[in-house]
Amino acid sequence: MGIDTSGKTLTLTIGHDELIVRQRWEVVSIVNDIAIAVWFIAGSVLFFSESTTELGTVFFLVGSIELLVRPVIRLVRRVHIRRVRGASDGVDSLDF
């Protein structure tokens, strides 16, 4: 069962495999967002002392790299969901 409004934002797909894939990627995304927050908070705290400023800078760099990971996670999730949809339809398509 599915509702697709073709071009609008509402998409309702009832499919066990797709739901599981979406939930797993959502968890990965949430964990990544928490990691970003931890890196930046730790980096900020380390900037309070001059002796730990260099380590704070490293934490800020790691947090910035984690920000780059966010769109990569979204892209991989999208490709994975397309493959699951294609497998359930009998078609292996990656059309976006």
Side-chain angles (χ1 to χ4, degrees):
M1 171 185 197
I3 297 174
D4 183 6
T5 57
S6 298
K8 297 181 183 173
T9 57
L10 177 63
T11 302
L12 175 62
T13 303
I14 306 299
H16 180 70
D17 293 336
E18 184 175 341
L19 225 108
I20 290 172
V21 169
R22 284 183 185 270
Q23 289 173 353
R24 288 181 183 163
W25 283 109
E26 185 175 354
V27 168
V28 169
S29 182
I30 290 168
V31 168
N32 185 62
D33 287 348
I34 291 170
I36 291 168
V38 168
W39 289 121
F40 280 112
I41 290 169
S44 297
V45 169
L46 291 170
F47 271 105
F48 285 128
S49 172
E50 204 172 307
S51 64
T52 57
T53 300
E54 188 174 331
L55 184 58
T57 303
V58 170
F59 281 19
F60 269 88
L61 178 61
V62 172
S64 298
I65 292 168
E66 288 280 332
L67 283 174
L68 178 64
V69 170
R70 292 177 82 190
V72 172
I73 290 171
R74 288 186 7 234
L75 179 63
V76 170
R77 172 186 167 267
R78 188 174 182 107
V79 168
H80 192 174
I81 288 172
R82 287 287 182 177
R83 286 190 177 152
V84 167
R85 284 183 183 171
S88 67
D89 295 341
V91 177
D92 190 19
S93 172
L94 293 179
D95 295 335
F96 293 98

